[in-house]
């Protein structure tokens, strides 16, 4: 047996070159520049000087021209500023989905099949006699008339309850999700960028629902001193503000959105790195960023309990490792009856993906 042979590692120093390779880098940089095309291109130029990303045959100027011609960026004729297009916004979402959920098994659009049959959308091969309580749209009239002719003869047509034949349908779940993203200032403090992975996950989840489960709904709520909704198109441009963390406002808005949804299955995903530090009362902010303020925590936990009574589970994705912060998340999760994941930034997407798909399979009404 020859065994293993070892040799010196020779790194690949070949330049990236080519439009497709540079486009992937450009899309990644847009996540860090909050959709600022000019800043992303400036970063690429600096990287090209240091690491020779381009070749003598294809330079940065060629790449920028191709971006314009292919519809990825546009130039404002008034001041010459560069911005991304809707095509680029969609490409960023697709790139995030491929990066985070690359192992996703392909499934039919909008399908959340369960192992139960009954009133549903898609017919299956099972047939049975009619029983009290079956809906009229389950009755196969053609088969029922044929049964009547066989059972009672053609000359004197009679249709009885025993002639009715019911076709079973596969039950499918529909889910409404609100994704809450913490945009307080702590999401960029302590030398760690937490907002970029968070919004990348949001873009991937939005693209996942849009392409695989288009009958599901996704609302996105961001919360700092206040809470407000944003659209999927806003995600590439999302930035952290000089905000405290008003988790209560985010939960109130998320709950209000879910109340309006007609689906049986509702849930909240919350990405945060810290404790609630802010409330708004009578138009004024009550803030305490030093510690776990009893007043703030109490009202936040009460809201978590209200969500439980409304049958809205909250899954918290905690991206901070401080023991006292994790203890708050444990208390919050216990009150709500939801779930908590203490995730690193690199594993955040996989956690959310697995939990989202698992919920689709088990929450059948």
């Amino acid at each position: 047996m020859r065994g293993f042979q070892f040799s010196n590692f020779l790194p690949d120093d070949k330049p990236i070159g080519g439009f497709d390779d540079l486009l992937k880098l450009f899309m990644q940089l847009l996540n860090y520049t909050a959709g600022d095309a000019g800043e992303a291109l400036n970063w690429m130029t600096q990287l090209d000087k240091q690491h020779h990303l381009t070749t003598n045959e294809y330079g940065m100027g060629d790449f920028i021209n191709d971006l314009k011609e292919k519809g990825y960026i546009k130039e404002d004729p008034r001041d010459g500023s560069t911005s991304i297009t809707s095509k680029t916004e969609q490409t960023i979402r697709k790139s995030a989905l491929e990066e985070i959920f690359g192992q996703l098994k392909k499934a039919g659009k909008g399908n959340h099949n369960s192992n139960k049959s009954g009133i549903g959308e898609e017919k299956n091969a099972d047939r049975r006699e009619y029983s009290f309580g079956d809906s009229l749209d389950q009755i196969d009239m053609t088969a029922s008339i044929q049964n009547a002719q066989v059972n009672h003869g053609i000359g004197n047509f009679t249709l009885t309850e025993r002639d009715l034949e019911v076709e079973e349908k596969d039950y499918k779940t529909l889910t409404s999700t609100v994704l809450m993203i913490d945009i307080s200032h702590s999401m960029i403090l302590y030398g760690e960028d937490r907002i970029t992975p968070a919004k990348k996950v949001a873009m991937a989840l939005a693209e996942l629902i849009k392409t695989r489960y288009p009958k599901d709904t996704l609302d996105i709520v961001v919360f700092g001193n206040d809470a407000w909704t944003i659209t999927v198109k806003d995600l590439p441009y999302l930035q952290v503000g000089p905000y405290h963390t008003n988790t209560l406002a985010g939960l109130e808005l998320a709950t209000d959105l879910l109340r309006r949804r007609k689906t049986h299955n509702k849930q909240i995903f919350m990405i945060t790195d810290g404790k609630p530090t802010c409330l708004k009362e009578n138009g004024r902010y009550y803030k305490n960023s030093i510690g776990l303020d009893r007043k703030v925590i109490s009202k936040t936990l009460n809201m978590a309990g209200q969500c439980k009574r409304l049958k809205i589970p909250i899954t918290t994705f905690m991206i901070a490792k401080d023991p006292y912060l994790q203890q708050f998340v444990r208390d919050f999760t216990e009150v709500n009856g939801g779930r908590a994941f203490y995730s690193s930034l690199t594993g955040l997407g996989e956690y959310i993906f697995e939990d989202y798909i698992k919920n689709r399979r088990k929450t059948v009404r």
Side-chain angles (χ1 to χ4, degrees):
M1 182 176 178
R2 296 179 58 190
F4 297 98
Q5 292 184 345
F6 297 91
S7 61
N8 292 330
F9 172 71
L10 299 176
D12 186 3
D13 292 330
K14 294 181 180 179
I16 293 178
F19 176 79
D20 291 337
D21 290 332
L22 292 173
L23 180 63
K24 292 179 182 178
L25 177 59
F26 179 60
M27 293 300 166
Q28 288 289 341
L29 291 176
L30 286 173
N31 288 316
Y32 293 94
T33 64
D36 189 326
E39 186 177 357
L41 290 173
N42 182 53
W43 285 11
M44 289 190 69
T45 301
Q46 298 302 318
L47 289 171
D48 186 31
K49 292 178 181 178
Q50 297 179 29
H51 303 287
H52 308 291
L53 303 180
T54 61
T55 65
N56 293 333
E57 291 75 23
Y58 190 84
M60 282 300 301
D62 297 317
F63 175 64
I64 294 173
N65 287 333
D66 284 345
L67 286 176
K68 294 177 181 178
E69 292 178 2
K70 296 178 185 293
Y72 288 101
I73 62 174
K74 56 185 178 182
E75 190 173 281
D76 191 329
R78 294 170 297 180
D79 57 11
S81 60
T82 303
S83 59
I84 62 176
T85 64
S86 57
K87 179 179 180 179
T88 302
E89 294 168 352
Q90 183 179 22
T91 304
I92 295 174
R93 295 196 302 270
K94 288 183 176 179
S95 298
L97 179 62
E98 291 171 1
E99 177 184 345
I100 297 174
F101 305 139
Q103 302 302 317
L104 175 66
K105 294 182 179 180
K106 293 183 179 180
K109 288 185 176 180
N111 294 335
H112 302 302
N113 296 323
S114 74
N115 57 3
K116 299 181 180 180
S117 62
I119 299 175
E121 297 179 353
E122 187 171 303
K123 300 175 183 178
N124 62 32
D126 295 336
R127 294 290 188 274
R128 60 175 174 80
E129 289 186 4
Y130 174 85
S131 60
F132 180 76
D134 290 331
S135 63
L136 294 178
D137 63 348
Q138 287 183 267
I139 299 175
D140 186 338
M141 293 307 301
T142 301
S144 299
I145 293 173
Q146 184 178 357
N147 293 338
Q149 292 174 341
V150 171
N151 296 334
H152 310 292
I154 300 177
N156 185 18
F157 178 76
T158 302
L159 180 66
T160 67
E161 182 177 321
R162 295 192 60 183
D163 301 321
L164 298 177
E165 185 171 314
V166 170
E167 54 188 358
E168 294 281 31
K169 295 181 179 181
D170 290 330
Y171 194 100
K172 298 181 181 178
T173 64
L174 300 177
T175 299
S176 294
T177 302
V178 173
L179 178 63
M180 291 174 51
I181 304 176
D182 185 348
I183 59 168
S184 61
H185 190 55
S186 61
M187 291 288 278
I188 56 171
L189 287 180
Y190 315 115
E192 189 172 45
D193 176 13
R194 296 165 176 172
I195 188 62
T196 299
K199 68 180 182 181
K200 186 182 293 186
V201 167
M203 288 188 288
L205 184 60
E207 192 67 13
L208 172 73
I209 292 175
K210 181 179 179 181
T211 57
R212 267 75 167 187
Y213 309 112
K215 294 180 182 178
D216 286 3
T217 65
L218 174 67
D219 293 287
I220 302 171
V221 170
V222 295
F223 61 102
N225 290 349
D226 300 286
W228 61 94
T229 59
I230 63 172
T231 66
V232 174
K233 288 177 63 66
D234 297 327
L235 281 170
Y237 312 101
L238 186 61
Q239 299 184 65
V240 168
Y243 305 126
H244 290 72
T245 308
N246 192 344
T247 308
L248 175 63
L251 291 172
E252 289 176 337
L253 179 55
T255 304
D256 186 55
L257 291 169
L258 290 174
R259 280 198 188 102
R260 304 175 191 175
R261 299 296 186 185
K262 303 302 181 183
T263 54
H264 291 293
N265 303 312
K266 302 174 182 181
Q267 64 181 349
I268 295 173
F269 285 170
M270 180 169 66
I271 303 175
T272 184
D273 73 332
K275 57 190 178 299
T277 59
C278 177
L279 295 174
K280 193 172 185 180
E281 298 178 315
N282 301 319
R284 299 182 64 181
Y285 294 107
Y286 175 86
K287 304 174 184 178
N288 185 351
S289 58
I290 298 176
L292 293 171
D293 187 287
R294 182 178 299 179
K295 180 177 181 179
V296 177
I297 296 302
S298 176
K299 293 195 174 185
T300 304
L301 293 178
N302 287 341
M303 190 64 207
Q306 183 177 338
C307 288
K308 181 180 181 179
R309 291 189 290 273
L310 293 171
K311 298 182 179 180
I312 301 176
I314 303 170
T315 303
T316 305
F317 297 90
M318 183 66 171
I319 51 179
K321 300 178 181 179
D322 308 68
Y324 75 101
L325 296 180
Q326 292 187 354
Q327 181 59 50
F328 161 73
V329 173
R330 282 191 286 270
D331 295 341
F332 180 88
T333 302
E334 183 179 354
V335 170
N336 175 256
R339 293 168 301 278
F341 294 93
Y342 304 95
S343 170
S344 66
L345 294 176
T346 55
L348 183 62
E350 288 77 5
Y351 274 125
I352 290 183
F353 162 71
E354 290 174 3
D355 201 60
Y356 183 83
I357 298 299
K358 182 171 66 175
N359 288 349
R360 306 287 66 66
R361 293 172 179 165
K362 72 179 182 181
T363 50
V364 180
R365 303 295 183 188

